[in-house]
């Protein structure tokens, strides 16, 4: 009898559960399912802050305190590919702190490097994390690095569980994905606005108090240290810099020919309609002669 008494309550909750599960439209295709996971040591090694990095049962933990942050780097450079990791962020006060997963050749080309970023901008407890995507291109080589930022809030709390974040970089486009949902597509409109040189894969946590949170309004407060980033489920499906010319990266769409399917495009539009909080192309204060792709 007791179970029967709870039946009306369960029936009332079922529509709520279904609605919650359906809040995120399905992309219809899941590129991550085509890429095998690798162990951290198979693809990466510590780059800096070794005392602030721990690998335990497939999960890499890096942390920032008043003495240091930490970062890791891929064993090989790549000229294209799918690069992903599941990441869990720290809750609470994290202002000024950047937790990142990105591609770069800044060590090989200091001052005029290329970069493709996923960066989580730390925040105060009353506000959500911001996921910043960015693309840097050396441009004219005059060391004037131009950012191409698009910033998003997320449709879930990234501190509660691991979620999969990925960059798909092909000779024709860059696609940023969150749990296989495309949130941004950056097409190659010209050689001058697209990264063409080999890139390494990095992850790091560091103090960016001068700009990370509300343009530097809130700084890192080491009363809340350590600030922790956790990574697992690493995926690399790409062409190393010395791979044969016939090597090609995975496709983001089921067609295998690049671009996004109609369903994937619709989901990306849904994300940008509901969660995009900054687009460099729409920023009237920017000098758009420097970003002709806009």
């Amino acid at each position: 009898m007791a179970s029967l008494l709870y039946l009306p309550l369960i029936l009332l909750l079922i529509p709520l559960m279904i609605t919650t599960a359906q809040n995120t439209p399905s992309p219809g295709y899941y590129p991550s399912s085509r890429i095998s996971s690798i162990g951290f040591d198979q693809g990466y090694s510590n780059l800096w802050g070794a005392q602030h990095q721990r690998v335990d049962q497939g999960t890499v933990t890096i942390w920032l305190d008043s003495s240091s942050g930490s970062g890791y780097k891929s064993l090989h450079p790549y000229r294209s590919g799918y690069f992903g990791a599941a990441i869990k962020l720290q809750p609470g006060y994290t202002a000024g702190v950047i937790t990142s997963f990105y591609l770069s050749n800044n060590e090989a080309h200091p001052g005029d490097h290329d970069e493709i970023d996923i960066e989580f901008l730390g925040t105060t407890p009353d506000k959500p994390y911001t996921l910043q995507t960015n693309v840097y291109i050396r441009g004219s080589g005059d060391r004037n690095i131009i950012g191409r930022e698009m910033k998003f809030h997320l449709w879930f709390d990234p501190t509660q569980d691991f979620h999969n974040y990925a960059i798909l970089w092909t000779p024709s486009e860059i696609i940023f994905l969150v749990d296989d949902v495309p949130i941004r597509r950056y097409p190659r409109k010209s050689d001058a606005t697209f990264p063409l040189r080999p890139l390494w894969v990095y992850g790091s946590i560091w103090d960016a108090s001068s700009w990370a949170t509300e343009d530097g309004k809130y700084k890192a407060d080491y009363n809340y240290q350590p600030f922790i980033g956790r990574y697992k489920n690493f995926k690399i499906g790409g062409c190393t810099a010395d791979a044969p010319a016939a090597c090609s990266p995975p496709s983001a769409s089921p067609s295998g020919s690049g671009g996004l399917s109609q369903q994937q495009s619709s989901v990306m539009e849904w994300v940008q309609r509901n969660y995009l909080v900054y687009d460099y192309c729409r920023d009237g204060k920017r000098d758009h002669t420097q970003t002709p792709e806009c």
Side-chain angles (χ1 to χ4, degrees):
M1 284 295 294
S3 61
L4 291 176
L5 291 174
Y6 289 109
L7 188 58
L9 178 60
I10 293 170
L11 292 174
L12 283 171
L13 287 173
I14 286 173
L16 177 61
M17 292 161 63
I18 292 172
T19 301
T20 302
Q22 291 178 343
N23 275 345
T24 308
S26 167
Y29 182 72
Y30 301 87
S32 67
S33 67
R34 312 299 293 270
I35 312 294
S36 299
S37 298
I38 61 171
F40 176 78
D41 294 335
Q42 291 176 273
Y44 298 93
S45 63
N46 176 262
L47 179 63
W48 61 285
Q51 295 78 19
H52 289 68
Q53 179 176 310
R54 182 177 67 248
V55 182
D56 183 29
Q57 297 184 337
T59 298
V60 177
T61 302
I62 56 177
W63 62 93
L64 167 71
D65 61 26
S66 57
S67 66
S68 178
S70 185
Y72 59 84
K73 179 184 178 182
S74 63
L75 301 178
H76 307 286
Y78 296 86
R79 67 168 187 260
S80 64
Y82 175 100
F83 310 95
I87 304 172
K88 184 178 180 182
L89 303 176
Q90 176 159 317
Y93 188 99
T94 56
V97 178
I98 298 286
T99 308
S100 65
F101 184 76
Y102 63 102
L103 312 181
S104 180
N105 52 28
N106 64 313
E107 292 176 280
H109 304 285
D112 65 344
H113 71 286
D114 311 297
E115 193 167 305
I116 306 170
D117 293 337
I118 291 176
E119 297 176 306
F120 299 94
L121 310 185
T123 188
T124 54
D126 58 325
K127 294 177 182 175
Y129 268 93
T130 297
L131 187 160
Q132 175 170 279
T133 64
N134 204 351
V135 179
Y136 290 109
I137 298 97
R138 65 178 169 184
S140 62
D142 60 3
R143 299 180 180 268
N144 183 22
I145 305 298
I146 306 301
R148 292 166 166 84
E149 303 91 345
M150 288 181 69
K151 302 179 185 181
F152 301 83
H153 289 156
L154 295 165
W155 50 95
F156 54 84
D157 182 348
T159 71
Q160 292 299 304
D161 204 352
F162 285 90
H163 289 267
N164 293 304
Y165 305 90
I167 296 165
L168 179 59
W169 170 44
T170 77
S172 61
E173 64 189 356
I174 299 164
I175 297 174
F176 298 86
L177 301 121
V178 176
D179 290 336
D180 284 306
V181 172
I183 63 169
R184 177 182 183 182
R185 177 175 178 264
Y186 182 88
R188 178 177 175 176
K189 294 185 177 180
S190 74
D191 290 356
T193 61
F194 199 82
L196 300 172
R197 298 176 294 181
L199 300 171
W200 283 258
V201 193
Y202 295 82
S204 64
I205 189 166
W206 55 289
D207 186 333
S209 289
S210 63
W211 64 271
T213 306
E214 298 185 35
D215 296 322
K217 179 180 178 181
Y218 298 99
K219 315 291 186 184
D221 184 342
Y222 288 99
N223 289 315
Y224 297 97
Q225 68 179 19
F227 302 102
I228 299 170
R230 294 180 173 88
Y231 301 72
K232 66 178 183 178
N233 195 29
F234 294 94
K235 297 196 173 197
I236 296 180
C239 301
T240 57
D242 58 358
C247 181
S248 60
S251 171
S253 70
S255 71
S257 59
L260 297 172
S261 69
Q262 184 175 349
Q263 187 170 349
Q264 288 175 309
S265 295
S266 296
V267 175
M268 185 172 70
E269 290 169 7
W270 173 83
V271 171
Q272 294 188 2
R273 185 169 61 249
N274 291 285
Y275 297 100
L276 179 66
V277 295
Y278 176 81
D279 181 351
Y280 74 106
C281 281
R282 300 177 188 173
D283 186 343
K285 298 177 182 177
R286 295 284 296 262
D287 177 3
H288 291 296
T289 62
Q290 298 179 318
T291 53
E293 71 279 2
C294 289

